[in-house]
C-alpha cells in the first residue's frame, strides 16, 4: 500500500514581481504570506527563490512557466492566475526513516504526491477568492487588495484537507440529479415564474439533496459555486438540521421543514433589516457581474438566487419572496421527492467496481470511489492510479484507453472520448483483457445508460 506522504502546508504566498524592482524593497511585492510566524527575511528569501526559478525555467519553456518544484522534503506548486500575479503553495512531506530509505521506498513515497491533484487545489484557492472578492487587478488600491486577500485566506487555508485530496479535486465536477421530463418541466416552469415575477433575479440555480437540477449560470461559474456549496454551505446546514432533529422538538422540526432562507434574513417576523447579504462575482457571459447571493431552502430543495447587485434589498422584498416560495415551491418539491423515492439505488459492496465519470462539456461528475466510510487500501491505491492516468491525457490525445493491473489483482481502466472521461477500478483474479473489456461495457450500460461509448 502507498502511504500518504503529506504532513501539512509549509507556506502559501501571493506576490507580484512588478510592484517593486528596487533592491531593499522586495517586501512590497508580497501581497500575502502564510504562515505569519515566518520573519520578513524568510518571506523575501522564499519569494525571491520562486521568482528566480520561474525566470530561469521560462528560458527553456517560453510558452508556459514552471508549475511545480520537487525536493526531498517539499513539493512546491506555482500558478499564475492573472498577469504578473503568482500564487505559490508549498507542501511539507513526511520524513522518511533511514531504514525505509535504505530499501528504496523513498522514490515510491515521493511519487505519491501527484502534481495534478495539488495544482487543482491551488487553482481552486484562487477561483474561490475571485468568487467573493473579484480579480486581483480589479482592486486599484494596494492596501485594500492586501486586506481582502488576508481576510479570505486566513480562513480558507484552515479548511484545506490536503492529505485527503485526490482525483475528484482535479475534476471539481458537479453532481446532477436526472429527472423524468414531467418533473423537470415543473422545475423549469417554477424557475421561469420566479424570474418573471422578480425581474431583479437574472439567474437561478435549483438543487435537491445537494444535486444540481437547473442552473442559469455559466458552467465555469457554477463549478466554483457548487464547490463552495458542497464543501461549506450544505454541510453546515445539514449539521443545523441534525441538531434540530436531535432535540426532538415538534416546533423545531416544523420550522426546519418549512421554507426558510439559509443565506438571507433568518427570521423575517422579527427582522428589522436584511442584515449583511453576501455578493458574488460571475465572469461567464458578456462580462463581470456583481450579484447578491441568497439561498432559500425547503425540505430537500435549495434555490440559489442571484440578485442584481445595484438593487436595494429590503425586508419587504424578502417577505414577498418568502410568500412566493411557500406558495409555489411545495408542489415542485413534492414531485421531485416522489420521483426520487422510486429510483432504486444499489449500495456498493466491498467487491463492487468503483468508477468515476466526468464530462468536460457540462462538468457533470458521477462517482462511487468515496462510497465507503473506510475504503480499503486497494481502493485508495486505485484512486491514485486514476489520478496518474488522468495526468497522461494530454499525451494520449482526445480519444484513448489506458489499462493498469496492480499487484493485488485490481484492474484500473481509463477511457476518454468526446470530452468525456470514464475510470473504473475492479478486482478480477485470473482475468484477461477481453474479460475486463466486457466488464467495462456492462458497467457503462448499467451506470451511464448509454451516454458514454462502447466497443462495436
Amino acid at each position: 500500500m502507498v502511504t500518504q506522504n503529506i504532513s501539512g502546508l509549509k507556506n502559501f504566498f501571493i506576490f507580484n514581481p512588478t510592484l517593486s524592482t528596487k533592491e531593499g524593497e522586495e517586501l512590497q511585492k508580497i501581497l500575502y504570506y502564510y504562515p505569519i510566524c515566518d520573519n520578513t527575511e524568510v518571506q523575501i528569501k522564499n519569494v525571491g527563490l520562486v521568482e528566480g526559478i520561474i525566470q530561469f525555467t521560462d528560458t527553456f519553456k517560453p510558452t508556459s512557466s514552471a508549475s511545480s518544484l520537487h525536493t526531498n522534503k517539499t513539493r512546491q506548486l506555482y500558478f499564475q492566475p492573472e498577469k504578473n500575479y503568482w500564487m505559490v503553495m508549498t507542501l511539507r512531506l513526511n520524513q522518511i526513516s533511514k531504514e525505509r530509505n535504505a530499501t528504496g521506498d523513498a522514490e515510491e513515497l515521493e511519487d505519491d504526491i501527484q502534481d495534478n491533484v495539488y495544482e487543482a487545489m491551488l487553482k481552486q484557492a484562487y477561483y474561490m477568492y475571485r468568487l467573493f472578492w473579484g480579480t486581483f487587478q480589479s482592486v486599484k488600491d494596494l492596501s485594500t487588495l492586501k486586506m481582502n486577500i488576508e481576510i479570505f485566506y486566513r480562513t480558507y487555508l484552515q479548511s484545506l484537507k490536503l492529505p485527503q485530496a485526490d482525483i475528484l479535486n482535479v475534476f471539481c465536477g458537479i453532481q446532477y440529479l436526472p429527472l423524468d421530463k414531467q418533473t423537470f418541466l415543473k422545475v423549469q416552469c417554477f424557475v421561469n415564474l420566479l424570474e418573471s415575477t422578480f425581474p431583479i433575479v437574472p439567474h437561478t440555480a435549483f438543487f435537491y439533496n445537494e444535486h444540481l437540477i437547473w442552473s442559469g449560470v455559466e458552467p465555469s461559474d457554477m463549478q466554483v459555486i457548487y464547490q463552495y456549496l458542497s464543501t461549506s454551505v450544505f454541510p453546515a446546514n445539514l449539521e443545523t438540521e441534525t441538531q434540530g432533529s436531535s432535540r426532538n422538538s415538534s416546533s423545531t422540526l416544523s420550522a426546519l421543514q418549512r421554507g426558510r432562507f439559509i443565506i438571507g434574513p433568518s427570521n423575517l417576523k422579527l427582522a428589522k433589516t436584511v442584515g449583511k447579504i453576501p455578493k458574488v462575482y460571475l465572469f461567464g457571459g458578456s462580462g463581470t457581474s456583481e450579484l447578491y447571493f441568497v439561498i432559500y431552502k425547503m425540505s430537500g430543495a435549495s434555490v440559489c438566487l442571484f440578485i442584481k447587485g445595484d438593487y436595494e434589498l429590503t425586508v419587504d422584498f424578502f417577505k414577498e419572496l418568502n410568500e412566493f416560495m411557500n406558495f409555489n415551491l411545495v408542489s415542485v418539491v413534492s414531485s421531485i421527492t416522489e420521483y426520487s423515492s422510486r429510483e432504486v439505488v444499489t449500495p456498493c459492496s466491498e467487491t463492487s467496481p468503483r468508477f468515476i465519470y466526468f464530462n468536460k462539456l457540462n462538468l457533470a461528475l458521477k462517482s462511487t470511489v468515496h462510497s465507503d466510510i473506510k475504503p480499503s487500501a486497494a481502493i485508495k491505491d486505485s484512486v491514485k492510479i486514476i489520478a496518474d492516468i488522468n495526468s497522461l491525457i494530454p499525451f494520449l490525445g482526445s480519444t484513448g484507453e489506458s489499462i493498469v493491473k496492480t499487484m493485488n489483482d485490481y484492474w484500473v481502466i481509463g477511457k476518454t472520448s468526446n470530452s468525456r472521461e470514464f475510470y473504473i477500478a475492479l478486482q478480477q483474479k485470473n482475468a484477461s483483457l477481453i474479460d475486463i473489456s466486457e466488464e467495462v461495457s456492462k458497467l457503462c450500460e448499467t451506470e451511464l445508460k448509454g451516454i458514454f461509448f462502447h466497443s462495436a
Side-chain angles (χ1 to χ4, degrees), residues 372-376 380:
D372 304 273
I373 298 177
K374 293 183 178 180
S376 65
K380 290 181 179 179

Side-chain angles (χ1 to χ4, degrees), residues 278-325:
K279 285 186 176 182
V280 295
Y281 292 84
L282 303 184
F283 297 87
S286 57
T288 305
S289 55
E290 184 181 6
L291 303 163
Y292 288 108
F293 185 54
V294 173
I295 301 181
Y296 190 87
K297 183 172 177 61
M298 177 182 287
S299 188
S302 300
V303 183
C304 299
L305 302 101
F306 300 86
I307 305 171
K308 292 181 179 178
D310 56 357
Y311 184 79
E312 184 178 353
L313 300 179
T314 63
V315 174
D316 290 337
F317 165 76
F318 280 101
K319 287 182 177 179
E320 184 182 356
L321 184 59
N322 179 66
E323 185 178 349
F324 172 89
M325 292 290 192

Side-chain angles (χ1 to χ4, degrees), residues 234-253:
F234 290 152
N237 183 71
L238 179 62
E239 182 179 354
T240 301
E241 293 183 348
T242 303
Q243 291 174 352
S245 300
S246 64
R247 287 194 290 266
N248 198 24
S249 168
S250 58
S251 60
T252 302
L253 292 175

Side-chain angles (χ1 to χ4, degrees), residues 82-350:
E82 303 174 29
K83 184 179 180 181
N84 296 325
Y85 288 89
W86 285 90
M87 300 177 66
V88 181
M89 178 170 68
T90 308
L91 307 176
R92 184 184 294 108
L93 308 186
N94 287 325
Q95 294 297 310
I96 304 171
S97 65
K98 293 182 179 179
E99 290 78 12
R100 292 200 65 179
N101 198 34
T103 65
D105 288 339
E107 183 178 354
E108 179 185 6
L109 286 175
E110 196 272 344
D111 289 340
D112 183 39
I113 311 301
Q114 297 162 308
D115 284 357
N116 57 338
V117 172
Y118 294 98
E119 285 172 8
M121 293 192 73
L122 180 57
K123 292 177 181 179
Q124 186 67 15
Y126 166 72
Y127 294 128
M128 200 66 74
Y129 169 87
R130 192 182 67 168
L131 175 66
F132 293 103
W133 296 92
T135 62
F136 296 148
Q137 295 177 339
S138 63
V139 181
K140 303 304 178 184
D141 182 68
L142 186 59
S143 60
T144 301
L145 176 60
K146 289 183 177 181
M147 181 181 66
N148 293 348
I149 294 175
E150 198 277 334
I151 292 173
F152 178 80
Y153 286 107
R154 179 177 54 196
T155 303
Y156 183 81
L157 293 180
Q158 303 303 318
S159 68
L160 291 179
K161 299 178 180 179
L162 296 173
Q164 287 77 41
D166 58 24
I167 182 63
L168 296 188
N169 293 90
V170 176
F171 294 137
C172 283
I174 301 172
Q175 295 192 61
Y176 288 86
L177 179 64
L179 300 174
D180 64 302
K181 294 181 180 180
Q182 184 175 359
T183 308
F184 181 77
L185 183 60
K186 287 185 178 181
V187 175
Q188 191 173 22
C189 289
F190 168 80
V191 171
N192 291 340
L193 180 61
L194 170 64
E195 294 181 356
S196 62
T197 305
F198 301 94
I200 63 169
V201 182
H203 309 296
T204 307
F206 196 107
F207 291 83
Y208 185 81
N209 287 344
E210 303 183 17
H211 286 66
L212 182 62
I213 296 176
W214 169 269
S215 172
V217 179
E218 290 291 326
S220 58
D221 289 323
M222 192 68 244
Q223 184 180 33
V224 184
I225 294 168
Y226 181 81
Q227 298 305 314
Y228 167 65
L229 294 175
S230 61
T231 58
S232 180
V233 177
F234 290 152
N237 183 71
L238 179 62
E239 182 179 354
T240 301
E241 293 183 348
T242 303
Q243 291 174 352
S245 300
S246 64
R247 287 194 290 266
N248 198 24
S249 168
S250 58
S251 60
T252 302
L253 292 175
S254 177
L256 290 173
Q257 291 169 356
R258 290 196 303 267
R260 69 195 191 284
F261 293 99
I262 59 175
I263 294 185
S266 58
N267 192 333
L268 287 175
K269 292 182 179 180
L270 302 178
K272 295 182 179 180
T273 63
V274 299
K276 185 174 178 58
I277 306 298
K279 285 186 176 182
V280 295
Y281 292 84
L282 303 184
F283 297 87
S286 57
T288 305
S289 55
E290 184 181 6
L291 303 163
Y292 288 108
F293 185 54
V294 173
I295 301 181
Y296 190 87
K297 183 172 177 61
M298 177 182 287
S299 188
S302 300
V303 183
C304 299
L305 302 101
F306 300 86
I307 305 171
K308 292 181 179 178
D310 56 357
Y311 184 79
E312 184 178 353
L313 300 179
T314 63
V315 174
D316 290 337
F317 165 76
F318 280 101
K319 287 182 177 179
E320 184 182 356
L321 184 59
N322 179 66
E323 185 178 349
F324 172 89
M325 292 290 192
N326 276 315
F327 182 78
N328 294 280
L329 190 55
V330 176
S331 61
V332 179
V333 175
S334 177
S335 298
I336 299 173
T337 303
E338 181 181 355
Y339 174 81
S340 299
S341 65
R342 298 196 302 264
E343 294 295 300
V344 179
V345 179
T346 305
C348 288
S349 65
E350 187 175 347

Side-chain angles (χ1 to χ4, degrees), residues 389-456:
I389 295 175
N390 172 266
S391 66
L392 297 176
I393 288 180
F395 305 99
L396 298 176
S398 59
T399 302
E401 182 176 27
S402 299
I403 301 176
V404 177
K405 188 177 186 298
T406 68
M407 297 295 292
N408 48 23
D409 291 321
Y410 260 83
W411 293 79
V412 182
I413 303 96
K415 296 166 68 72
T416 60
S417 179
N418 300 324
S419 299
R420 295 178 173 91
E421 301 177 32
F422 191 41
Y423 302 92
I424 313 100
L426 51 90
Q427 190 174 31
Q428 290 280 354
K429 291 185 178 180
N430 303 320
S432 65
L433 287 176
I434 296 177
D435 297 330
I436 297 301
S437 179
E438 291 177 352
E439 288 294 325
V440 171
S441 296
K442 291 178 183 178
L443 194 62
C444 287
E445 184 63 35
T446 56
E447 297 292 344
L448 303 183
K449 302 184 186 303
I451 63 175
F452 202 65
F453 53 90
H454 297 250
S455 299

